Amino acid sequence: MTGNRAVAYKSAGVVEVIDIDYPTFELKDGPGVNPANVGRKVPHGVILKTVTTNICGSDQHMVRGRTTAPSNLVLGHEITGEVVEAGPDVEFIKVGDIVSVPFNISCGRCRNCKERKTGICLNVNPDRPGSAYGYVDMGGWVGGQAEYVLVPYADWNLLKFPDRDQALEKIMDLTMLSDIFPTGFHGAYTAGAGVGSTVYVAGAGPVGLAAAVSAQLLGAAVVIVGDMNTERLAQARSFGCETIDLTQGEPGEQIEQILGVPEVDAGVDAVGFEARGHGKDADHEAPATVLNSLMTVTAAGGALGIPGLYVTGDPGAKEKAAQVGSLSIRLGLGWAKSLSFTTGQCPVMKYNRQLMMAILHDKVQIAKAVNAQAISLEDAPRGYAEFDAGAATKYVLNPNGYVKG
């Protein structure tokens, strides 16, 4: 094997499908690769032929030019694949296995991994804890929006599907296990969604919709989703959510119209650092809006799950403070209400096996909830453009023709 095609970030608003090297069991120099990782041997890894790889809102932050991502960085951290080569140190994963790849890269050997904190592995990113495929400042592991991709620590990282035929039949659901389904579930779970609870999810993009589905799976009595995009709100209503239109103002009054009180038990931020104001302020960025509104509408003693992405460097921010991730958060309000916060990367391996079983046994239809649509690898630029324009669609790339129909 010598050829490989991949989706690469070129410049703000521009992605292209380019030719890259077929992966080997050694990290090579390239765009975004941490110099300390160059030459790193990966005998514990496997090479996957990509079955599906999804476009994520986190990718979109880079594509918009809101990070320090370099040109030609290969994108993609939501990966499902078939093992075509295994390194000499791989013991349990076999060639031919169909597997889900957690977007967190983790070693399975450090203190944090042993405590199931796989989003902040200590050994895979020389700059700081935590790593991911195809993402700026995450160690430089090549992204998976490609025909083939290298996955390290395969026996630890990979979730093997028990039956190949069943996996391919349900692949549009199972592809969500690499990121957005566990991430949405993490947001709902850490917010305290449970039997009989009321939950407000800010943001009706794919992660927000996954959080809403997860809250339902956890037994919530009412799930309310807020957004400014009417098509995405309609998508949330399609599987039983209540919705509020944030162009009409702050969420509290609309929540009261639904529940009779202006508060919920649990709040989820599925928006992140590119948040906008509400109502008449909806035409400009106000990055602390979602966090502050969630603190307002979450009942005292409640919790906020924050799977929405916040960054330490945002060169495109309007405010100087926000360019280094400093936001005007009403921490005093959160303190006064004894609210709990859970932030950071979702530790995918904490949830992915259980969510796989829910999919395989027809307890949840995550692909339908997020309106998943398969497109070719070559069609990725269109997918990015339509997603950025607000399409109520989760785009799933199909580089090698595994997805039929």
Side-chain angles (χ1 to χ4, degrees):
M1 288 287 186
T2 56
N4 197 8
R5 298 276 285 165
V7 181
Y9 167 74
K10 302 296 285 188
S11 61
V14 180
V15 297
E16 291 181 7
V17 181
I18 65 172
D19 292 307
I20 65 170
D21 292 337
Y22 183 84
T24 65
F25 295 106
E26 178 182 328
L27 280 185
K28 305 292 180 62
D29 197 8
V33 178
N34 191 299
N37 263 347
V38 174
R40 184 170 181 164
K41 307 294 185 184
V42 192
H44 42 70
V46 298
I47 294 170
L48 299 182
K49 184 176 184 180
T50 305
V51 173
T52 52
T53 176
N54 315 327
I55 295 175
C56 179
S58 298
D59 299 320
Q60 204 65 271
H61 293 304
M62 289 188 291
V63 172
R64 290 183 187 130
R66 296 299 294 265
T67 71
T68 57
S71 181
N72 286 324
L73 179 76
V74 174
L75 301 167
H77 55 271
E78 300 190 9
I79 309 163
T80 305
E82 178 177 6
V83 179
V84 292
E85 293 186 50
D89 290 352
V90 177
E91 186 174 1
F92 304 111
I93 293 292
K94 305 298 182 186
V95 170
D97 288 344
I98 305 290
V99 294
S100 178
V101 184
F103 80 90
N104 324 107
I105 303 173
S106 57
C107 71
R109 307 171 185 187
C110 71
R111 172 181 174 177
N112 284 350
C113 285
K114 289 178 180 179
E115 294 176 357
R116 301 181 78 189
K117 301 173 184 175
T118 53
I120 44 174
C121 173
L122 300 174
N123 289 330
V124 287
N125 183 355
D127 283 339
R128 61 173 182 259
S131 187
Y133 304 88
Y135 214 86
V136 61
D137 298 330
M138 286 290 188
W141 299 86
V142 177
Q145 287 177 11
E147 292 172 327
Y148 298 91
V149 63
L150 170 69
V151 173
Y153 303 103
D155 283 326
W156 165 255
N157 279 305
L158 296 179
L159 175 67
K160 177 185 173 181
F161 299 138
D163 181 88
R164 178 189 179 91
D165 291 339
Q166 184 188 34
L168 292 176
E169 179 185 346
K170 293 180 175 289
I171 196 62
M172 292 295 282
D173 291 291
L174 293 171
T175 189
M176 306 305 166
L177 291 173
S178 57
D179 181 358
I180 69 159
F181 194 12
T183 293
F185 189 91
H186 182 61
Y189 178 78
T190 57
V195 175
S197 62
T198 57
V199 181
Y200 171 56
V201 178
V207 169
L209 296 175
V213 169
S214 298
Q216 293 174 337
L217 192 61
L218 288 163
V222 182
V223 180
I224 304 169
V225 179
D227 206 297
M228 302 175 188
N229 182 315
T230 56
E231 289 185 12
R232 290 181 174 182
L233 291 175
Q235 185 62 30
R237 289 192 295 274
S238 74
F239 57 93
C241 296
E242 301 283 350
T243 60
I244 58 177
D245 180 354
L246 295 172
T247 65
Q248 302 304 306
E250 297 289 333
E253 184 176 334
Q254 296 180 71
I255 289 173
E256 186 171 17
Q257 291 172 0
I258 296 168
L259 298 177
V261 293
E263 291 184 320
V264 293
D265 301 320
V268 180
D269 175 1
V271 178
F273 74 100
E274 288 191 68
R276 294 185 174 273
H278 296 151
K280 61 182 176 60
D281 296 322
D283 62 342
H284 71 271
E285 284 193 16
T289 296
V290 172
L291 291 172
N292 288 332
S293 66
L294 281 170
M295 284 191 281
T296 301
V297 303
T298 301
L304 273 59
I306 310 175
L309 176 67
Y310 289 88
V311 294
T312 56
D314 176 12
K318 299 286 191 294
E319 301 173 2
K320 198 166 185 179
Q323 291 176 5
V324 293
S326 182
L327 309 181
S328 298
I329 297 171
R330 295 186 63 195
L331 186 59
L333 175 62
W335 189 94
K337 294 179 75 172
S338 295
L339 299 175
S340 301
F341 298 72
T342 300
T343 65
Q345 287 187 31
C346 163
V348 170
M349 292 172 66
K350 187 173 181 178
Y351 308 109
N352 62 351
R353 183 186 178 278
Q354 298 95 313
L355 295 177
M356 174 188 75
M357 296 300 287
I359 289 169
L360 294 179
H361 293 277
D362 300 318
K363 300 302 181 186
V364 65
Q365 293 180 303
I366 183 65
K368 184 178 180 181
V370 301
N371 193 26
Q373 177 182 326
I375 60 176
S376 70
L377 188 73
E378 300 295 330
D379 217 11
R382 176 181 69 85
Y384 269 99
E386 292 182 359
F387 186 43
D388 190 49
T393 305
K394 176 68 173 177
Y395 288 100
V396 175
L397 303 183
N398 181 26
N400 292 299
Y402 284 87
V403 182
K404 306 301 181 185

